[in-house]
Amino acid sequence: MRTKVKFTCTRWCFIFFLFLNHPTPVLPAIENDTLPPALESEPYLYLMGRRKMIDAQLKCYNRMQELPPYQGQGLFCNRTWDGWLCWDDTPAGVVTEQQCPDYFPDFDPIEKVTKYCDENGIWYKHPEHNETWSNYSMCNAFTPDKVKNAYVLYYLAMVGHSVSIFTLSGSLGIFTFYKNLGCQRVTLHKHMFLTYILNSIIIIIHLVEVVPNPELVRRDPLGCKILHFFHQYMTACNYFWMLCEGIYLHTMIVVAMFAKEQQLRWYYLLGWGFPLVPTTIHAISRALYFNDNCWLSVETYLLYIIHGPVMAALVVNFFFLLNIVRVLVKKMRETQEADPHMYLKAVRATLILVPLLGIQFVVFPWRPSNQVLGKIYDYLMHSLIHFQGFFVAMIYCFYNNEVQATLKRHWAQIKYQWEQRRESRNPRRPNFRAAAAAAAAAEAEAGDIPIYICHQEPRNIESASILGEEKAEVIPMEIIEQESCA
């Protein structure tokens, strides 16, 4: 059986809203009992599934004619089509199995179908109907365990994107409020944060309004397809803004040899403009060739129109970053200057995030068929996908030492000002707290800032060497606010 990419999040969400609308189905026990009434009123996916089943039946009959006669010894069961799947000649007394079909959404193609050939060379017959029977009971996608797993993944997505919106909004506020942190690279950070915030908002709207509303999906309004279009567009923007981060660092460090400024309009074009191309092509192709309800299905290779450029951006970005590290390591061996160390620390965040956020496209593109490994895969990949914004905010902002030092300094100044106002109301009270707050402010002001977001060079190197200390220079707030960063 050929291996195909599984985008399990949308599949489980689709199973979730189908479960809300329909009771647990009972799969037919008799072969060829597959024709429901009201064919013209069936959803698009069921019509597509019926076409796939007819194609499979045609291929099965052709295969039975082309295969040579049974070459084994003893009794055997003849090749047959049971209404859903094709079965080859099977020796007597053997239970044969194959993957469940993926014709309809209420089938689980990860599970197995079994068919028994008895000792007399006759396919097993169901005792109630006395007709040949294949065991499709494991193919039910609505078993209690699977429904419970779908609920868990649904709420995991809700929590992940809510946490991502909260942390990203805080990071965006920090980079906007503190002007001393502003520079070209931080501008790229803010645009990338914005794409993740918008994407998480769109996904939450989709999970709240579309997934649990089967009546809306059945009506298939234009609005849910527009929502899907913007979701795919923002997803592509996420990764292309990350590519902009890699290109910016590569241009500054490798190409321009520590250049100070670049023209950002090309980055805006790549980050916001280019993703429109594959997203628009995908939307047009989907409308023409696979126009399912609300475009919920992931069982189409048209998704590669978007995921192909995304994977290419991830691979290119990763090699950019490897080349940057190579150049910086080489420069550190040749010179003892602080620049390469400073730039290497600036590259570290992007070097961590690229494989972390691209792992679901590059490293684990196929879901394991084993049930336990498949469940581990689901939880791992969903955690990485839905908490992407959280990882981006933590690594680019909250774990950055320069941001931490700025926040500590600002907090110390607030405490000092509050103590000063409190002392002014009670002048007789000893000013121990104000003195402690002033000491804390001075300590925060003189704190070590080893990671330079804007790649500012350390100053007062001579005075630091005289004192025999290797640490970053303390740049006063007035100077930082007046100067533009490289």
Side-chain angles (χ1 to χ4, degrees), residues 62-92:
N62 292 334
R63 173 183 172 80
M64 288 191 291
Q65 292 178 356
E66 294 173 357
L67 285 178
Y70 180 70
Q71 303 294 327
Q73 300 293 327
L75 300 174
F76 67 95
C77 294
N78 291 319
R79 61 198 74 173
T80 184
W81 166 261
D82 70 353
W84 279 338
L85 289 176
C86 192
W87 301 89
D88 293 338
D89 296 331
T90 304

Side-chain angles (χ1 to χ4, degrees), residues 203-247:
I203 290 175
I204 289 178
I205 294 174
H206 181 268
L207 292 175
V208 172
E209 297 295 332
V210 179
V211 170
N213 192 348
E215 178 61 26
L216 182 143
V217 176
R218 188 190 64 80
R219 289 189 285 106
D220 191 25
L222 180 62
C224 68
K225 293 182 177 179
I226 294 176
L227 188 68
H228 181 272
F229 172 85
F230 280 107
H231 165 55
Q232 297 292 348
Y233 170 67
M234 297 311 303
T235 300
C237 286
N238 292 160
Y239 292 96
F240 276 93
W241 272 108
M242 191 177 300
L243 177 62
C244 289
E245 295 264 358
I247 294 175

Side-chain angles (χ1 to χ4, degrees), residues 138-380:
M138 296 302 296
C139 296
N140 189 355
F142 297 121
T143 61
D145 184 62
K146 294 174 184 176
V147 172
K148 179 182 177 180
N149 192 53
Y151 270 103
V152 172
L153 295 178
Y154 176 84
Y155 289 112
L156 179 64
M158 293 289 292
V159 172
H161 288 289
S162 300
V163 171
S164 296
I165 291 174
F166 178 77
T167 53
L168 286 166
S169 299
S171 302
L172 197 58
I174 289 172
F175 283 136
T176 303
F177 179 76
Y178 294 103
K179 303 301 181 184
N180 61 300
L181 296 175
C183 63
Q184 285 191 332
R185 188 168 181 232
V186 170
T187 300
L188 300 182
H189 289 350
K190 291 192 287 188
H191 282 272
M192 185 169 65
F193 290 175
L194 182 60
T195 64
Y196 275 100
I197 291 173
L198 294 175
N199 191 34
S200 293
I201 292 174
I202 292 172
I203 290 175
I204 289 178
I205 294 174
H206 181 268
L207 292 175
V208 172
E209 297 295 332
V210 179
V211 170
N213 192 348
E215 178 61 26
L216 182 143
V217 176
R218 188 190 64 80
R219 289 189 285 106
D220 191 25
L222 180 62
C224 68
K225 293 182 177 179
I226 294 176
L227 188 68
H228 181 272
F229 172 85
F230 280 107
H231 165 55
Q232 297 292 348
Y233 170 67
M234 297 311 303
T235 300
C237 286
N238 292 160
Y239 292 96
F240 276 93
W241 272 108
M242 191 177 300
L243 177 62
C244 289
E245 295 264 358
I247 294 175
Y248 176 85
L249 291 172
H250 190 268
T251 302
M252 181 178 58
I253 296 173
V254 178
V255 179
M257 295 304 294
F258 308 105
K260 296 300 180 185
E261 290 192 6
Q262 301 180 41
Q263 295 294 329
L264 293 184
R265 63 175 179 269
W266 300 110
Y267 295 98
Y268 299 150
L269 182 63
L270 178 61
W272 292 111
F274 182 79
L276 278 173
V277 177
T279 308
T280 304
I281 295 174
H282 168 265
I284 296 173
S285 303
R286 196 73 179 253
L288 294 176
Y289 302 110
F290 201 86
N291 194 24
D292 59 305
N293 294 46
C294 290
W295 292 349
L296 288 175
S297 176
V298 297
E299 303 299 326
T300 171
Y301 292 107
L302 295 177
L303 286 172
Y304 281 109
I305 298 174
I306 296 175
H307 294 144
V310 166
M311 288 188 285
L314 285 167
V315 173
V316 170
N317 208 5
F318 188 69
F319 281 106
F320 271 169
L321 294 173
L322 289 181
N323 193 37
I324 291 171
V325 173
R326 179 189 64 82
V327 171
L328 291 178
V329 170
K330 180 180 179 181
K331 189 171 181 62
M332 282 190 295
R333 290 176 179 176
E334 295 174 352
T335 179
Q336 299 299 322
E337 296 179 1
D339 282 3
H341 297 274
M342 180 178 63
Y343 280 83
L344 186 60
K345 291 176 180 179
V347 172
R348 184 174 59 187
T350 307
L351 191 61
I352 294 172
L353 276 177
V354 168
L356 179 66
L357 303 186
I359 192 171
Q360 73 269 21
F361 290 105
V362 179
V363 181
F364 298 126
W366 293 280
R367 187 182 189 275
S369 57
N370 181 273
Q371 187 174 4
V372 176
L373 294 178
K375 186 171 291 189
I376 295 174
Y377 171 94
D378 286 340
Y379 288 114
L380 175 62

